[in-house]
Amino acid sequence: MIGAQWGDEGKGKITDLLSRSADVVVRYQGGVNAGHTVVVRDRTFKLHLIPSGILYPDTECIIGSGTVIDPQVLLDEIDQLDKLGIATGNLFISQTAHVTMPYHRLIDSASEDKRGDRKIGTTKRGIGPTYADKSERTGIRMIDLMDADNLRDQLHWAVSYKNAILEKLYGLPPLEPAGIIEQYLGYAERLRPHVVDSSLKINEAVRRRQNVLFEGAQGTLLDLDHGTYPYVTSSNPIAGGACIGAGVGPTIIDRVIGVAKAYTTRVGEGPFPTELHGEVGQLLGDRGAEFGTTTGRRRRCGWFDGVIGRYAVRINGLDCLAITKLDVLDELPEIKVCVAYELDGEACREFPSSARQFAKCQPVYKTLPGWQQSTADCRSLNDLPSQALDYLKFLAELMEIPIAIVSLGASRDQTIVVEDPIHGPKRALLNDNGAPV
Ligand code: GDP
Ligand code: IMO
Ligand code: MG
């Protein structure tokens, strides 16, 4: 299950929903930059690293090797769940995941400041610098954290190396290795019971023919290789990233579900062709409570973008879609959908790779009538106002894939499952009468 836009599509809610049919849920990339909100009855859970499947007592949750782990935030999350009576004995952490260190967070913040107008608008959680160290082959992995002598040795060297950068490049005071070593050895003791060979564990579950759900964080357009570079995150949220980040072969993945909002949001910098700066954007932000789960920043809002939607279908090989937050559009008299861009006076139907060109794209809209009534209590496609159903049909036709799930509110029950995306027939798509949507 992946995000088909710029993140915050409602993946947490959909993972929670799909986890009912999953024996194992695996988070395969990203770190505590992610913020996933799950509402169960009157309780709200905010998760950053732990897969949203944790709310089911029999589901195993695995944080895979493609993730980066901030141990303090992870332990806070475990404590938060413990307090709420949610067991975390079924939580496993890959021994090869990389660890976010205090210098990663400092460098993330300081480099954003130095970039000035060129800043990315990161979450300042040290994500980019942790992945940079992984690529530079100076990173510290969970398995290093488990070995005190090794950790001391690696951290002494790493801190002296990073101190040169902190002092000379950013004018910041140096860090003291001894304190960091003690702090991280403390984290290691608490996390040790959870640390495993995650690829082995996942592949064993596959061999037992259990259902494994791979949960992407962020979204397709934030992908390091295929997103709106440089305004992206430093990992691969796309479906292909699941194989690398979980340590499984592509042949084991049966189907890929994309989650998209019925409109679009983005947090941080970077081009966003369908962004709405006026009243409608404000209304979407207010009705959708569009504030970041991790940083509290107001999310930028705009109309649904079919060009990036089709791009997400292509890059991820999507089988079907979950459309979330349809209810947020309830009050609007008319709704626009971007069907193409105009770029330098010419029609453009494919996502341009250059950020400069993307910034120049003007959306070409199709306007559809709104329904101006509440959909929050609809529980089947038949309950939906005809304009809402037409809107969904339009999106499915534009994206050329079926819609399997429609979400109309944050709670579990505010959902229409059109077709079971795990057990249902592969490309099926059907409304309640069995007709294609
Ligand atoms: P994620 O990062 O993709 O998991 O998404 P977030 O949790 O960051 O943001 C989605 C927000 O929308 C959360 O606050 C959810 O509780 C909420 N949400 C999810 N689905 C719906 C929906 O269908 N309607 C409304 N109104 N809110 C929803
Ligand atoms: P979930 O999983 C939305 C954005 C940041 C910034 C860019 C790079 O909740 O959908 P980073 O800190 O990753 O180096 O920041 O990516 N970003 C997200 N936007 N949802 C997220 O996660 C995000 N994680 C990172 O705002 O623009
Ligand atoms: Mg989020």
Side-chain angles (χ1 to χ4, degrees):
M1 190 217 67
I2 59 92
Q5 294 161 322
W6 273 286
D8 301 324
E9 295 90 349
K11 298 178 295 294
K13 166 170 172 170
I14 303 298
T15 306
D16 170 66
L17 204 72
L18 297 178
S19 296
R20 271 198 298 222
S21 320
D23 302 295
V24 181
V25 182
V26 184
R27 172 76 184 273
Y28 59 84
Q29 45 69 234
V32 299
N33 48 350
H36 304 158
T37 304
V38 184
V39 180
V40 183
R41 285 181 286 280
D42 53 349
R43 294 203 291 180
T44 299
F45 301 89
K46 291 191 185 292
L47 300 167
H48 299 287
L49 257 175
I50 299 181
S52 310
I54 197 74
L55 304 181
Y56 294 86
D58 298 327
T59 304
E60 286 193 339
C61 287
I62 301 181
I63 303 177
S65 48
T67 62
V68 291
I69 304 212
D70 185 324
Q72 177 66 67
V73 180
L74 177 55
L75 285 165
D76 288 348
E77 226 167 285
I78 292 174
D79 289 343
Q80 174 206 311
L81 290 171
D82 281 349
K83 263 194 217 127
L84 294 165
I86 311 284
T88 47
N90 267 344
L91 174 68
F92 301 97
I93 305 163
S94 169
Q95 57 191 8
T96 51
H98 280 249
V99 182
T100 297
M101 291 289 166
Y103 46 78
H104 292 134
R105 280 192 299 270
L106 289 170
I107 291 174
D108 195 358
S109 271
S111 74
E112 280 282 275
D113 293 344
K114 260 237 172 343
R115 278 168 179 265
D117 288 349
R118 289 166 183 267
K119 73 170 189 234
I120 308 293
T122 75
T123 58
K124 301 191 176 176
R125 295 298 186 273
I127 305 301
T130 312
Y131 278 113
D133 277 6
K134 174 178 175 174
S135 296
E136 203 198 358
R137 292 152 296 176
T138 53
I140 290 172
R141 307 196 293 178
M142 287 303 292
I143 200 160
D144 304 317
L145 202 65
M146 297 299 120
D147 173 346
D149 288 339
N150 189 3
L151 183 71
R152 277 192 199 98
D153 179 50
Q154 284 208 47
L155 262 180
H156 267 294
W157 179 81
V159 172
S160 67
Y161 177 55
K162 296 297 173 183
N163 276 345
I165 296 170
L166 289 172
E167 290 184 280
K168 297 199 175 110
L169 191 57
Y170 298 119
L172 291 171
L175 294 171
E176 177 51 53
I180 300 176
I181 291 168
E182 284 320 301
Q183 186 185 22
Y184 276 69
L185 285 176
Y187 297 148
E189 282 327 298
R190 284 203 58 199
L191 291 174
R192 189 180 301 281
H194 299 278
V195 176
V196 295
D197 179 337
S198 56
S199 162
L200 182 64
K201 205 165 173 54
I202 299 162
N203 280 281
E204 281 173 352
V206 171
R207 214 172 313 126
R208 287 195 297 272
R209 307 190 80 70
Q210 289 189 305
N211 273 329
V212 181
L213 173 64
F214 299 95
E215 177 198 23
Q218 287 84 47
T220 302
L221 277 298
L222 289 172
D223 186 272
L224 178 59
D225 289 84
H226 299 281
T228 47
Y229 191 89
Y231 302 101
V232 293
T233 191
S234 299
S235 65
N236 291 107
I238 60 168
C243 292
I244 298 169
V248 298
T251 45
I252 70 127
I253 294 180
D254 296 318
R255 58 186 71 196
V256 186
I257 304 162
V259 185
K261 274 179 194 167
Y263 50 99
T264 312
T265 62
R266 170 162 214 179
V267 203
E269 306 300 314
F272 178 3
T274 63
E275 183 169 12
L276 292 163
H277 295 282
E279 248 171 57
V280 181
Q282 184 79 26
L283 179 136
L284 293 176
D286 291 346
R287 278 190 59 88
E290 296 295 358
F291 292 92
T293 314
T294 300
T295 58
R297 288 179 290 177
R298 195 175 173 97
R299 297 171 181 153
R300 300 154 67 192
C301 296
W303 298 119
F304 188 90
D305 185 332
V307 179
I308 68 161
R310 281 195 306 267
Y311 179 69
V313 173
R314 159 154 66 92
I315 288 288
N316 295 290
L318 294 186
D319 290 304
C320 61
L321 283 170
I323 296 289
T324 62
K325 304 190 96 160
L326 188 70
D327 57 299
V328 173
L329 305 179
D330 282 352
E331 286 179 3
L332 294 167
E334 55 180 37
I335 301 166
K336 292 184 183 180
V337 176
C338 169
V339 293
Y341 302 138
E342 198 188 293
L343 176 59
D344 297 331
E346 305 224 348
C348 167
R349 285 179 56 81
E350 301 298 338
F351 168 69
S353 302
S354 145
R356 270 175 194 267
Q357 285 205 325
F358 192 46
K360 287 197 290 180
C361 284
Q362 293 299 320
V364 177
Y365 286 120
K366 160 94 180 162
T367 303
L368 290 100
W371 42 94
Q372 297 190 284
Q373 54 180 290
S374 172
T375 55
D377 296 325
C378 295
R379 294 294 176 269
S380 83
L381 292 183
N382 286 335
D383 297 341
L384 287 176
S386 64
Q387 297 91 334
L389 196 56
D390 287 346
Y391 182 69
L392 292 173
K393 282 184 185 167
F394 185 79
L395 296 188
E397 277 163 19
L398 185 64
M399 313 265 279
E400 295 182 64
I401 52 162
I403 293 171
I405 296 176
V406 181
S407 172
L408 307 146
S411 354
R412 271 184 187 166
D413 65 317
Q414 290 179 300
T415 314
I416 301 173
V417 179
V418 186
E419 179 57 54
D420 180 336
I422 293 182
H423 298 108
K426 202 157 175 172
R427 287 223 169 233
L429 191 36
L430 357 132
N431 61 27
D432 285 353
N433 304 319
V437 170

